[in-house]
Amino acid sequence: MCGIVGYVGQKTALPILLDGLKRLEYRGYDSAGFALFSGSNFLIKRNAGPVEGLADISEDLGKTEHLGIAHTRWATHGAPTEINAHPHRAGEIVLVHNGIIENYSQIKERLMKHGAQFSSQTDTEVFAQLIEHHRKLLTNKTPKENPESIILAALKTSMSEVEGHYAILLMSQTVPGKIFGIQNGAPLVVSKLKDGCLIASDIQAIIPYHNEVCFLPQGEIFIIDSGDIHCKNMHFEKIDWSADKVEKDGFESFMLKEVFQQPLVVADSLSGRLPIDSKAPFIWDHQKSHEVLWKNAKRLYLIACGTSFHAAMTAKYFFERWAKIDCQVDIASEFRYRDPIFEPGTVVGVISQSGETADTLAALRLANAAGVSTFSICNVKNSTISRESGFQYPTKAGPEIGVASTKAFTSQLTILCALALDIGRLRGINQSGENSDLSFHALARLPHDLDRILKQSEIFINMGATLKDQRIILFVGRGTMYPIALEGALKFKELTYLPSEGFAAGELKHGPIAYIDKDVSIVVLAPKDEWYAKTISNLEEIRARGGHIIAIGTEGDTETSKVANEFIGLPEAAWGTQPILSVIPLQLLAYGCAKALGRNIDKPRNLAKSVTVE
Ligand code: G6P
């Protein structure tokens, strides 16, 4: 979603701002803009379209300015037009903004009564005009006060009047050489460079320049000048992601690179955590408190959005079977507005790649406020969700740039598998640590099995391309293959924009079978698990109605390959690792189809990587 970059220092600001915006493109956006300040005037450029377009119209500009703010906008209030793009100017100030001002229409009405005129439909312009309104009032009231104190006071008053979560950067003609800002529920990261200070909404825009950063504290107004960052409660930390981790490494897209990274990131997520033998515990960062938490746990809620929600759905099967714990899963945007039962022994786990998803964060805050134990499974170590959760079980997938999540999902599932297995051991279930569903040996060989599947990538990609003219693609599975079917359908719609739906195989007869005729393709997940025979019966029902069946099953399964039109065999695997393996062909089918349709693989239309608004 929206991205922010700001720079003040000895270098010319514009190339640094545009480079930062490019690095934030993966978050999803539809317009971009910047404002430079020369000491007397603002130079503002905005473009309804990509950052390249903005760079083109600014080719001869920005040669001398050392101070600037920039933004990529993902439209919420008002269409993605140039007028609605940030920065927004109001009198003496310019502003960029992430997040949402919920009471913007009331404030707008009030300001209009004072004569304010608005050129855009955005909540951002309302925020800018509100700050300017207070700045002018204060200047008239205390004309001798220094302009910096006036801006700070105007920001403070405006903050007390707006409702919502936001991050802003602001420059004022009355205070040259400085950027003002507030982080109030939308992240901002700052770094002190040799030649100045760089601030952004996301570390991706900063790591190529420096790996020591500070996540600005919530609710504090800060000021940045070329020498320093002035803010209370700052803590700098080193980031272990390096710039080369955000390059494509010769792959056509970040998504394809990330699909192929899965054996490695699954191995990294397990590294140092696997037990030394089948009776020993898994190794977590906070071993003692982990044991206390889970020994006393009575109910588990797993909450997430999008792909992370499918990881939660899959994990429900693990937690119920191995840990014998009541596990409920919910979409964060629903959970946060329900009346969930929080009793002693309730544990709430939130799963999020980015660690910034607004609804997931709200669900976590609800649980924290209720006083129950919380944990997170996040891929971004210093994200808001990581920081606010009681315990962390981090994934180690590295930066995921493709909007359609792949390696974060398999890393989440790997951690959830290990966690459920370990909790079962802790609670005295499956004391031996070995069972037919999954042992730590099966987990340890996961990277190898993933590698084997990826060797067949061309087959999946080519098969995906053959689906490009379908009117609808269906995905079905039973048991743990049901959430994987949902994830397959999600990957397909995200990347190809074709209608696609996922179902529990047992639900076919309750509606979805009405879709089936000879023009419909259906991907059936049919591994040799305990539900195999039932899934095969469903396959027969589809065949009887002429549906085109692509079956993803177990290598050497001649029965399924006879019934299906096309058959993909995956290595035989334990029940617990099966979902992690089975999602790979689905990722590649979607990729192959999207490529054949000429879609933008890394930045599908209308989608955002990090959804920081409700
Ligand atoms: C967006 C992304 C998805 C992601 C979902 C949840 O919709 O496009 O890929 O699964 O948000 O994000 P999170 O960062 O919380 O896992």
Side-chain angles (χ1 to χ4, degrees):
M1 288 207 151
C2 303
I4 286 180
V5 190
Y7 173 80
V8 49
Q10 288 146 29
K11 294 210 165 125
T12 38
L14 186 57
I16 298 174
L17 297 178
L18 290 175
D19 179 55
L21 291 187
K22 286 289 296 169
R23 291 177 193 277
L24 298 185
E25 279 190 311
Y26 79 99
R27 293 166 64 97
Y29 72 105
D30 30 47
S31 57
F34 64 79
L36 302 173
F37 189 41
S38 60
S40 53
N41 266 321
F42 293 128
L43 168 67
I44 300 175
K45 279 280 163 207
R46 301 182 293 185
N47 181 48
V51 175
E52 278 97 2
L54 182 68
D56 288 348
I57 58 172
S58 325
E59 219 175 336
D60 302 322
L61 308 172
K63 305 288 183 220
T64 53
E65 291 85 352
H66 299 268
L67 171 68
I69 57 179
H71 192 263
T72 45
R73 172 175 185 256
W74 188 86
T76 56
H77 301 69
T81 57
E82 186 186 332
I83 292 285
N84 287 331
H86 303 205
H88 286 278
R89 179 164 190 173
E92 306 278 303
I93 67 157
V94 281
L95 182 96
V96 291
H97 158 229
N98 278 5
I100 283 190
I101 306 304
E102 285 163 5
N103 58 340
Y104 82 104
S105 52
Q106 292 95 305
I107 297 175
K108 190 170 182 175
E109 249 173 61
R110 206 181 88 205
L111 292 173
M112 283 168 86
K113 284 189 191 135
H114 286 96
Q117 290 184 343
F118 291 85
S119 54
S120 77
Q121 287 104 47
T122 62
D123 52 344
T124 306
E125 191 187 2
V126 175
F127 203 171
Q129 295 235 21
L130 179 68
I131 298 166
E132 177 62 359
H133 168 78
H134 288 303
R135 194 197 63 77
K136 278 209 295 223
L137 283 182
L138 287 161
T139 312
N140 292 340
K141 218 163 110 189
T142 53
K144 293 214 176 91
E145 187 63 80
N146 85 55
E148 183 170 315
S149 310
I150 288 186
I151 299 270
L152 290 175
L155 281 172
K156 220 167 164 188
T157 317
S158 307
M159 252 178 104
S160 68
E161 292 175 3
V162 295
E163 288 162 20
H165 293 99
Y166 52 85
I168 58 164
L169 293 186
L170 172 152
M171 297 190 296
S172 171
Q173 280 182 311
T174 57
V175 188
K178 296 192 179 180
I179 296 174
F180 296 79
I182 310 170
Q183 185 278 78
N184 195 27
L188 282 174
V189 197
V190 70
S191 187
K192 240 192 271 185
L193 316 178
K194 280 197 205 99
D195 52 62
C197 294
L198 181 61
I199 181 162
S201 50
D202 191 322
I203 46 175
Q204 313 286 9
I206 297 192
I207 38 174
Y209 298 89
H210 198 31
N211 68 348
E212 199 168 284
V213 302
C214 165
F215 287 81
L216 285 160
Q218 182 154 347
E220 302 287 351
I221 300 174
F222 57 84
I223 305 176
I224 304 174
D225 56 35
S226 63
D228 216 343
I229 305 136
H230 309 272
C231 183
K232 284 188 214 145
N233 306 320
M234 291 213 300
H235 303 286
F236 280 86
E237 51 193 295
K238 284 227 158 42
I239 298 297
D240 54 9
W241 291 359
S242 58
D244 58 348
K245 287 201 176 159
V246 283
E247 303 299 340
K248 282 189 200 149
D249 290 347
F251 283 91
E252 272 175 24
S253 61
F254 279 110
M255 184 209 166
L256 196 59
K257 172 185 163 185
E258 287 157 6
V259 167
F260 276 88
Q261 278 181 317
Q262 289 178 107
L264 193 72
V265 301
V266 162
D268 280 352
S269 292
L270 288 172
S271 158
R273 284 171 171 166
L274 284 173
I276 42 169
D277 62 48
S278 60
K279 291 196 182 71
F282 279 78
I283 298 146
W284 307 103
D285 298 341
H286 39 71
Q287 199 71 27
K288 262 269 140 295
S289 26
H290 158 82
E291 292 183 6
V292 174
L293 170 75
W294 291 108
K295 271 190 182 144
N296 298 321
K298 294 201 167 55
R299 174 191 289 135
L300 168 64
Y301 286 113
L302 286 177
I303 313 296
C305 299
T307 291
S308 299
F309 172 67
H310 295 150
M313 276 184 82
T314 316
K316 177 181 168 72
Y317 293 82
F318 302 156
F319 280 99
E320 287 178 349
R321 181 168 291 197
W322 297 331
K324 298 275 178 274
I325 186 166
D326 171 17
C327 176
Q328 302 189 22
V329 292
D330 211 340
I331 296 167
S333 55
E334 290 300 317
F335 182 82
R336 65 180 290 191
Y337 293 120
R338 286 211 335 264
D339 300 296
I341 311 297
F342 294 122
E343 290 170 327
T346 299
V347 177
V348 176
V350 290
I351 306 172
S352 173
Q353 185 284 129
S354 61
E356 302 295 346
T357 303
D359 286 316
T360 312
L361 178 59
L364 172 66
R365 288 181 173 159
L366 183 76
N368 280 338
V372 297
S373 302
T374 59
F375 72 89
S376 61
I377 297 182
C378 279
N379 193 38
V380 182
K381 196 170 132 208
N382 325 73
S383 60
T384 314
I385 291 178
S386 290
R387 282 179 282 132
E388 293 193 16
S389 53
F391 294 87
Q392 294 90 37
Y393 297 94
T395 49
K396 299 198 177 142
E400 189 180 67
I401 308 294
V403 165
S405 184
T406 52
K407 63 174 180 171
F409 179 68
T410 39
S411 307
Q412 289 164 348
L413 280 181
T414 305
I415 294 292
L416 286 159
C417 240
L419 195 58
L421 205 60
D422 193 43
I423 294 166
R425 181 199 57 82
L426 259 173
R427 293 160 73 91
I429 302 146
N430 295 327
Q431 282 290 3
S432 71
E434 288 285 347
N435 61 44
S436 57
D437 300 330
L438 182 68
S439 66
F440 75 99
H441 291 299
L443 263 181
R445 52 168 289 156
L446 240 183
H448 167 77
D449 288 342
L450 286 165
D451 249 336
R452 277 189 61 199
I453 295 178
L454 284 167
K455 292 217 163 72
Q456 303 180 65
S457 61
E458 279 307 311
I459 300 175
F460 309 140
I461 293 173
N462 292 338
M463 199 179 275
T466 65
L467 300 175
K468 75 179 181 29
D469 299 317
Q470 294 288 306
R471 86 183 134 80
I472 186 166
I473 321 283
L474 307 178
F475 294 80
V476 291
R478 265 175 197 273
T480 54
M481 290 299 114
Y482 163 45
I484 298 304
L486 295 182
E487 175 59 10
L490 178 62
K491 284 288 93 64
F492 224 87
K493 61 175 80 96
E494 284 177 314
L495 290 169
T496 68
Y497 321 152
L498 294 179
S500 56
E501 288 189 47
F503 304 102
E507 278 294 293
L508 262 179
K509 291 196 256 317
H510 301 290
I513 203 160
Y515 278 133
I516 309 248
D517 64 24
K518 64 174 184 24
D519 297 325
V520 169
S521 282
I522 180 155
V523 179
V524 183
L525 296 161
K528 282 224 158 176
D529 57 16
E530 63 208 73
W531 306 292
Y532 172 71
K534 293 188 191 309
T535 310
I536 294 298
S537 310
N538 297 134
L539 236 139
E540 296 282 9
E541 290 156 9
I542 300 163
R543 190 164 78 144
R545 286 158 183 86
H548 178 84
I549 301 170
I550 299 173
I552 299 180
T554 306
E555 268 167 0
D557 176 4
T558 46
E559 197 178 342
T560 308
S561 59
K562 264 190 247 146
V563 189
N565 300 78
E566 287 163 81
F567 174 77
I568 304 174
L570 303 182
E572 197 165 350
W575 176 81
T577 54
Q578 193 78 61
I580 306 175
L581 300 175
S582 302
V583 77
I584 310 294
L586 306 188
Q587 296 168 345
L588 288 166
L589 278 180
Y591 170 82
C593 184
K595 194 167 173 243
L597 288 164
R599 304 293 192 232
N600 186 335
I601 303 287
D602 287 332
K603 285 170 265 164
R605 73 177 179 204
N606 301 339
L607 298 180
K609 182 73 183 158
S610 179
V611 178
T612 47
V613 295
E614 278 194 55

